Amino acid sequence: MDGRILVPWEQNRDNAPASLTVEVFDGHGDPPPDVLDDVVFYVVPYGRDQRVDLIPRMPRLRAVQLLTAGYEHALPYLPAGVRLYNGRGLHDASTAEHAVALILAAQRDLFRWAEDQRSHVWQPHYTRSLADSRVLIVGYGSIGAAIEERLRPFGVTVVRLARRARPAEQVHGVDELHRLLPTTDIVVVVTPRTPETEGLIGAAELAALPDDALVVNVGRGPVVDTEALLAERGRIRAALDVTDPEPLQPDHPLWDAPGVLITPHVAGGSAAFYPRARRFVDEQLQRWAAGEPLVNEVAQGSG
């Protein structure tokens, strides 16, 4: 096939069909202009500095593959006619593990025990439990299903909620959110950031939760209203892998808010992610070489 393909890992170049011209770009620096001029398929490197800014500099571009489930950051750069694909499924295991870890850490006060260990303090007390909790998963898709699978052995009741109701799958629509919150012990947010989800968990939603409920966010920071969460002053606890703003500045009040546990947006990037991502890119290149449709299409540039 005419044109170059940019991939983030040497494995993908080495495993690519012989008919493809594949070059490695790991996100550092810029590829030479003549390379960008010929790129038809761009696999965006994974990490903090995803180089979606290079997309407009690729005049022959036909397809962009992200390795993240979220794709809103790439949409402003997408030229007319260019198809965008995301990494749906690649982060399911990693994100689900992290979500469950955050829940357990918050319910069993693990961060307090860690502080006591550093201070050489032996001061036991009984904690909350995950067992018998009612867990509402907001944004129930493949990651939500992976979280539910890992939660089930703990003896919880899982309630599923998505943008639209799916009665056959026992998934509630978002219009039922306020009805479900008063009986929820733990809310797990896994939604992408869209105009509809921004601020979805705000002052009214937090107020509807019972005292000492836990909000876990492994989706996108702006889905949970930071100011509203701070205003709860510890009545509602939170375990956040994503925040708004992000990254948090050293003097941001969220760091010291009562009942808040923070990790720095690391849920999806565990060791389990990278082998899955490399295999996925290999499979996409095989489809591209064979003229087959790529999987996980999420958008097409309209210009």
Side-chain angles (χ1 to χ4, degrees):
M1 285 192 173
D2 292 337
R4 302 179 197 245
I5 298 172
L6 285 190
V7 298
W9 296 299
E10 291 183 2
Q11 171 188 308
N12 302 131
R13 179 191 60 198
D14 297 342
N15 291 345
S19 61
L20 302 180
T21 302
V22 181
E23 300 196 25
V24 177
F25 173 60
D26 64 3
H28 300 293
D30 281 0
D34 62 326
V35 172
L36 294 177
D37 288 346
D38 287 342
V39 171
V40 292
F41 183 6
Y42 177 35
V43 182
V44 179
Y46 181 74
R48 294 290 170 231
D49 296 317
Q50 296 182 50
R51 297 302 306 278
V52 293
D53 61 299
L54 295 179
I55 291 174
R57 295 165 55 188
M58 301 175 179
R60 298 184 60 196
L61 191 63
R62 294 163 50 196
V64 175
Q65 174 67 63
L66 301 175
L67 298 174
T68 55
Y71 56 89
E72 66 278 356
H73 60 290
L75 293 176
Y77 298 93
L78 201 63
V82 175
R83 296 180 184 274
L84 180 67
Y85 305 84
N86 75 345
R88 184 179 188 273
L90 299 181
H91 300 272
D92 292 4
S94 296
T95 304
E97 285 179 358
H98 199 82
V100 174
L102 288 174
I103 293 170
L104 289 170
Q107 294 297 94
R108 303 307 299 261
D109 282 356
L110 296 189
F111 51 96
R112 172 178 167 175
W113 306 132
E115 291 173 358
D116 284 356
Q117 180 180 349
R118 284 192 294 270
S119 302
H120 299 186
V121 172
W122 187 276
Q123 191 174 347
H125 71 275
Y126 293 112
T127 69
R128 308 165 188 85
S129 179
L130 176 53
D132 301 327
S133 296
R134 185 175 175 88
V135 181
L136 174 64
I137 299 178
V138 177
Y140 191 87
S142 64
I143 293 177
I147 293 171
E148 177 180 3
E149 181 182 4
R150 287 155 177 80
L151 284 176
R152 286 290 183 191
F154 288 95
V156 304
T157 298
V158 173
V159 181
R160 308 163 178 172
L161 185 138
R163 181 173 59 176
R164 296 186 182 88
R166 305 196 298 270
E169 302 173 47
Q170 297 182 312
V171 177
H172 299 272
V174 72
D175 57 313
E176 296 187 70
L177 177 62
H178 282 253
R179 180 180 69 80
L180 297 170
L181 288 173
T183 58
T184 294
D185 301 300
I186 300 169
V187 179
V188 183
V189 178
V190 290
T191 65
R193 180 183 182 180
T194 68
E196 293 74 28
T197 64
E198 196 162 321
L200 180 64
I201 307 298
E205 290 72 31
L206 295 173
L209 286 167
D211 291 352
D212 204 42
L214 174 67
V215 174
V216 178
N217 192 358
V218 291
R220 287 293 182 266
V223 178
V224 176
D225 186 318
T226 299
E227 294 304 317
L229 180 60
L230 290 170
E232 289 290 331
R233 301 183 184 277
R235 187 190 75 85
I236 300 300
R237 297 172 298 123
L240 310 173
D241 183 57
V242 290
T243 61
D244 182 28
E246 189 175 306
L248 284 181
Q249 295 302 308
D251 60 349
H252 197 283
L254 198 56
W255 287 114
D256 299 311
V260 174
L261 173 64
I262 296 171
T263 58
H265 203 154
V266 293
S270 76
F273 160 74
Y274 291 95
R276 295 170 188 232
R278 292 185 183 102
R279 287 195 298 270
F280 175 72
V281 173
D282 287 344
E283 292 163 1
Q284 290 286 68
L285 294 184
Q286 293 286 344
R287 296 183 183 99
W288 183 266
E292 299 173 355
L294 305 183
V295 300
N296 287 6
E297 182 174 346
V298 290
Q300 184 172 349
S302 58

